[in-house]
Every structure is written in structure tokens, then in C-alpha cells.
Amino acid sequence: MNANENTADPVDSLSDAQAAAAFRRLVRHLRHRHDAQNIDLMGLAGFCRNCLADWIVEAGAPLDKAQAREAIHGMSAAEWKERYQTPATPEQLARMEESLKLNARD
């Protein structure tokens, strides 16, 4: 048994208002930082803007996939891709694949 399994996660002590404010700030930060490509976020942290969109739907937001991505991107996903997404390099794709392996949970 992991020593942390019996310890409450400190993030759970945040109020919903505090957590929502931090989430909104993160989303707005990502909207500002178009240079932070989704492929790079995936390669480094194992999540990206599209993951955030999926997570809000999983959390119960009454949105379909396209609406959720628009909520996160601040525009349609197609428009965001056209304006800001650059082609992924083989190195970025390989880094993303390795990073995603770290997302697997026991």
C-alpha cells in the first residue's frame, strides 16, 4: 500500500469556486499562449487543450465534443487549428507517445 493512499489530496480542500477560478485562469492562459502547441503539451505533460475539453464533458458539462473544444479554445477547433496549429514533427510525436505511457494508472 502506498503511503499516500490514506492521505487526503490537498486539492480536494479547495472550494469549488477556487478550483473553478484556477481552471478558468488556466484556460485563458492557454488561449493567450498559442505558441504552446497541443503536441508539445502532450509531450511534456500528457494532456492538452483537447483533453481539457474532454474532461469538462466527463465532469458533466452539457456540451458535445465540438462545443467543449470551442469553450476551451475560445473558437471552433477547426479555426484554432487553421490559425495556430503547426505540423507535428516525428520528434514531437515520439515524445507524445512516451508521455502518454506515463498517464497509465495502476
Side-chain angles (χ1 to χ4, degrees), residues 53-101:
D54 293 344
W55 296 345
I56 64 172
V57 171
E58 290 171 13
L63 305 171
D64 65 25
K65 187 175 186 174
Q67 292 169 323
R69 288 185 177 189
E70 186 169 338
I72 297 299
H73 292 333
M75 62 188 73
S76 72
E79 182 179 350
W80 192 91
K81 284 181 181 183
E82 184 177 317
R83 285 187 183 190
Y84 304 113
Q85 186 169 306
T86 60
T89 66
E91 294 81 13
Q92 288 172 311
L93 292 169
R95 215 171 15 255
M96 179 188 75
E97 290 299 322
E98 287 303 310
S99 179
L100 288 176
K101 289 178 187 174

Side-chain angles (χ1 to χ4, degrees), residues 55 101-106:
W55 296 345
K101 289 178 187 174
L102 299 174
N103 286 359
R105 297 178 191 236
D106 298 343

Side-chain angles (χ1 to χ4, degrees), residues 45-60:
F47 82 99
C48 69
R49 292 167 182 86
N50 296 332
C51 296
L52 290 174
D54 293 344
W55 296 345
I56 64 172
V57 171
E58 290 171 13

Side-chain angles (χ1 to χ4, degrees), residues 37-50:
Q37 292 287 302
N38 280 341
I39 191 76
D40 293 324
L41 293 170
M42 290 295 290
L44 178 64
F47 82 99
C48 69
R49 292 167 182 86
N50 296 332

